């Protein structure tokens, strides 16, 4: 069964304190692993697509990496504006939908 | 360019009433998806359209839920005889054709059933 598990559920950081969010997945035939950011009351905002193990992508203070079983979202020197829920997803086996994890809610205080 | 738009942004209805939720995808996107986000449940897939056809309706929770897409563009999700457990945020997304293409989401419609 296609499945995505994210940890931790919640993460509190001080401004400048780097950390990582984890996304473990089980799917037959990976068709991309997707990271989204969601602010309260808004729809998910696309961040990255990772296609194969070993791939890395960066955007500002965020860096996403992928292995055969999990993905990490590394946050370097976070700022309060990075506070949001980060969602990880994979395409289902049929390729017709995204299977989402429950997300990690990040709070960054100054 | 314009992103995915949804209307209404909020809908409050009484138990037993029917509701219609609308989605306008990004122009040129052939694929359209509906998801539901409930507190503590995460995002759940409802239905997938390719053009005007819906090859995957497996996420629709009951026969009270239906959706259509016309002209390969606008989609409407209809919930008949609403129940309190239907209260959630309904999100629409669109993408261009292709397995790996990212989905772009609208702002959602918050449905509250009293």
């Amino acid at each position: 069964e296609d499945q995505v598990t994210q940890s931790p559920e919640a993460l509190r950081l001080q401004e400048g304190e780097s950390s990582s969010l984890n996304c473990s997945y089980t799917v037959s035939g990976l068709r991309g692993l997707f990271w989204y950011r969601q602010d309260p009351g808004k729809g998910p905002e696309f961040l990255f697509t990772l296609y194969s193990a070993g791939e890395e992508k960066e955007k500002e203070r965020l860096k996403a990496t992928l292995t055969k079983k999990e993905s990490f979202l590394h946050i370097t020197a976070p700022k309060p504006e990075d506070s949001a829920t980060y969602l990880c997803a994979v395409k289902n086996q049929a390729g017709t939908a995204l299977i989402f994890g429950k997300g990690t809610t990040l709070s960054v205080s100054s | 360019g314009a992103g995915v738009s949804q209307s209404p942004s909020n809908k409050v209805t009484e138990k037993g009433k029917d509701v219609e939720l609308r989605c306008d995808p990004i122009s040129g996107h052939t694929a359209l998806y509906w998801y539901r986000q409930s507190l503590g449940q995460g995002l759940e897939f409802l239905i997938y359209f390719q053009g005007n056809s819906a090859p995957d309706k497996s996420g629709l929770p009951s026969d009270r839920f239906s959706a259509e897409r016309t002209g390969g563009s606008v989609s409407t999700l209809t919930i008949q005889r609403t129940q309190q457990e239907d209260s959630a945020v309904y999100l629409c997304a669109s993408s261009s054709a292709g397995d790996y293409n990212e989905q772009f989401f609208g702002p959602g419609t918050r449905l509250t059933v009293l």
Side-chain angles (χ1 to χ4, degrees), chain A residues 18-90:
Chain A
S18 301
S19 188
S20 296
L21 282 55
N22 178 263
C23 171
S24 298
Y25 65 91
T26 304
V27 66
S28 298
L30 184 67
R31 301 182 187 200
L33 185 138
F34 304 84
W35 281 99
Y36 287 84
R37 168 188 171 133
Q38 188 173 28
D39 293 299
K42 297 190 176 181
E45 174 191 349
F46 171 74
L47 293 173
F48 303 109
T49 306
L50 299 168
Y51 298 99
S52 59
E55 188 175 5
E56 300 181 350
K57 287 198 175 170
E58 290 188 62
K59 179 180 180 180
E60 296 181 354
R61 295 175 293 283
L62 300 177
K63 178 180 174 180
T65 61
L66 181 65
T67 72
K68 289 186 178 179
K69 294 184 178 180
E70 57 191 349
S71 177
F72 292 93
L73 186 64
H74 307 278
I75 302 176
T76 302
K79 298 182 177 182
E81 53 261 43
D82 294 322
S83 297
T85 296
Y86 291 85
L87 299 168
C88 169
V90 297

Side-chain angles (χ1 to χ4, degrees), chain A residues 31 36 38 51 91 96 98, chain B residues 35 37 56 99-100 103:
Chain A
R31 301 182 187 200
Y36 287 84
Q38 188 173 28
Y51 298 99
K91 270 279 184 76
T96 56
L98 290 177
Chain B
Y35 294 85
Q37 188 170 33
D56 190 350
D99 265 352
Y100 294 89
Q103 297 179 19

